[in-house]
Amino acid sequence: MHDERTEVEDINAVREHMLLRLEQMRQNGVELFVDGRAVLPAEAVTKAVRENSPYMADYVLDASGSIEQVRFDKVTRR
């Protein structure tokens, strides 16, 4: 069973890993968006990595199948 401290450490580890990955992607020309607005990796991570995050990543591919955009959009219930 996880205690609260372990959960915070887990979230921080995921946040750090995602930030590094998004920074690498951005350096390779991948554009990042949150709710349709261009953002830097840190802002994408702030929105997407938190407990009960309502954001989902959508990967947009170019004609050759390479990732050209990562779009984080808020998911809402209808």
Side-chain angles (χ1 to χ4, degrees), residues 21 25 28 30 59-70:
R21 183 68 182 121
M25 292 174 84
N28 289 321
V30 174
Y59 297 86
V60 179
L61 307 179
D62 64 15
S64 68
S66 297
I67 298 172
E68 68 178 5
Q69 295 179 358
V70 180

Side-chain angles (χ1 to χ4, degrees), residues 8-55:
V8 169
E9 290 171 356
D10 290 347
I11 289 172
N12 287 338
V14 168
R15 186 175 287 128
E16 184 176 325
H17 176 75
M18 185 174 178
L19 180 59
L20 290 173
R21 183 68 182 121
L22 290 177
E23 286 174 345
Q24 289 172 342
M25 292 174 84
R26 187 166 180 269
Q27 288 173 2
N28 289 321
V30 174
E31 297 174 291
L32 305 173
F33 294 86
V34 172
D35 293 326
R37 188 173 57 81
V39 296
L40 296 173
E43 186 173 350
V45 169
T46 298
K47 294 279 188 174
V49 182
R50 58 183 179 200
E51 193 172 335
N52 299 319
S53 174
Y55 284 87

